[in-house]
Amino acid sequence: MASDTVCCPPQAPRPKVAHPVAQKGGYEPLGTYEKVGDFEKVYVTGPEKADHAIVIIYDIFGFWETSLRGWDLLANHLNLLIPHKLYAPDVFRGKPFPPDKDGDKDELKKFFETTAKISDRLPEVIKFGEQLKKEFKTVSILGYCWGGKICLLSLAKDVFHSGATCHPAMIANEDGDNLARPFAFYPSKDEPGDVVKYIAAKLKEKPFAKECDYVLYDTVHHGWAAARADLSNPENRKQFDDVYQRLADYFARVNAPRRSRM
């Protein structure tokens, strides 16, 4: 596994936007915060009744406004295709990485060794998925940045029906080797190109290759679909809208009844 302290991503220049660019106060979320399973706070969005669920694992900034906007958009798109209920557990339990410390390597290292320690958080996410499987026909997973790594690791196990990630952090070739479930892969221009190509090639070799999807979003920076999104930038907004429609199309296709495996 890649080091827990590597994120956002170190091998690429920092995007030429403020970090994170979105300011709170301009968007009214459509979902609600509820207690679900072992988590006291889970952002829940989507229709009241649905046969399918998606567990969302946020980036290091937690419940950021542009992230919430994206999840609501995804739920709305899916409602027109195959309704899904989306659950974003507060895996950091009220202590996301502070935006004013963005770029502080020592603080990030400390965060990844404690609050965001993958070996501690991954079992909790898997347990949460197992709990939801008792209620839904399929349960998938979607992750961003740090959450993208959690997503990849979880898909090496037979827990989630399928998964997707936008601009994942800490990716390694072994993530492609170990994938055991259908996967949609949407990296940005800032992820390591050799690893992106390796994982994309591995998807074509999987027995479930026809159920996978891959698009390199090479005109936008790491974080464009979550907390680092700059929706005032036309290209960022265009690709933000594109990826959420693509995610909806993907989950609707892979979780269609004829493909259900749970």
Side-chain angles (χ1 to χ4, degrees), residues 139-157:
V139 179
S140 299
I141 185 168
L142 167 63
Y144 307 80
C145 185
W146 175 88
K149 183 66 174 184
I150 291 286
C151 173
L152 282 160
L153 293 173
S154 72
L155 292 174
K157 306 176 185 296

Side-chain angles (χ1 to χ4, degrees), residues 12-245:
R14 292 164 65 81
K16 296 179 180 179
V17 295
H19 290 254
V21 69
Q23 297 300 317
K24 297 183 178 181
Y27 179 72
E28 290 294 330
L30 303 178
T32 57
Y33 291 101
E34 304 175 15
K35 182 183 185 306
V36 183
D38 296 336
F39 292 98
E40 293 295 324
K41 185 177 182 180
V42 178
Y43 183 75
V44 181
T45 188
E48 185 65 27
K49 293 184 179 181
D51 291 332
H52 308 274
I54 300 173
V55 174
I56 297 177
I57 308 300
Y58 50 41
D59 61 24
I60 61 172
F61 298 107
F63 295 118
W64 204 260
E65 186 172 294
T66 43
S67 299
L68 296 172
R69 182 192 292 266
W71 306 339
D72 288 343
L73 185 60
L74 175 58
N76 286 340
H77 286 331
L78 281 166
N79 203 34
L80 298 175
L81 300 168
I82 297 178
H84 285 59
K85 202 160 188 176
L86 278 53
Y87 295 83
D90 187 14
V91 292
F92 297 151
R93 291 177 167 79
K95 297 180 179 180
F97 191 75
D100 62 340
K101 297 294 184 180
D102 195 19
D104 188 323
K105 293 183 178 180
D106 290 336
E107 286 296 320
L108 188 62
K109 182 176 185 293
K110 185 190 306 181
F111 184 70
F112 272 71
E113 291 175 346
T114 54
T115 304
K117 189 174 183 179
I118 286 181
S119 58
D120 289 342
R121 303 288 82 82
L122 180 60
E124 297 172 347
V125 171
I126 289 174
K127 182 180 179 182
F128 187 69
E130 293 282 11
Q131 292 171 330
L132 290 180
K133 283 170 67 175
K134 299 174 183 178
E135 304 177 35
F136 295 91
K137 291 181 179 178
T138 67
V139 179
S140 299
I141 185 168
L142 167 63
Y144 307 80
C145 185
W146 175 88
K149 183 66 174 184
I150 291 286
C151 173
L152 282 160
L153 293 173
S154 72
L155 292 174
K157 306 176 185 296
D158 190 18
V159 177
F160 294 100
H161 180 269
S162 60
T165 180
C166 299
H167 45 78
M170 303 172 286
I171 56 175
N173 287 354
E174 64 192 49
D175 293 324
D177 295 333
N178 296 333
L179 275 172
R181 309 300 291 175
F183 180 58
F185 185 35
Y186 305 129
S188 75
K189 65 181 182 180
D190 290 329
E191 279 73 70
D194 57 338
V195 181
V196 167
K197 290 178 181 178
Y198 184 90
I199 294 175
K202 275 294 174 181
L203 293 181
K204 296 180 180 179
E205 300 176 6
K206 299 293 181 179
F208 45 82
K210 292 182 179 179
E211 295 180 281
C212 294
D213 191 33
Y214 163 67
V215 173
L216 173 60
Y217 283 83
D218 59 2
T219 65
V220 282
H221 58 273
H222 176 83
W224 99 93
R228 299 187 190 279
D230 179 2
L231 299 185
S232 67
N233 177 283
E235 182 62 19
N236 193 154
R237 182 58 185 263
K238 174 185 175 182
Q239 302 306 340
F240 182 92
D241 291 342
D242 182 86
V243 81
Y244 281 104
Q245 182 64 66

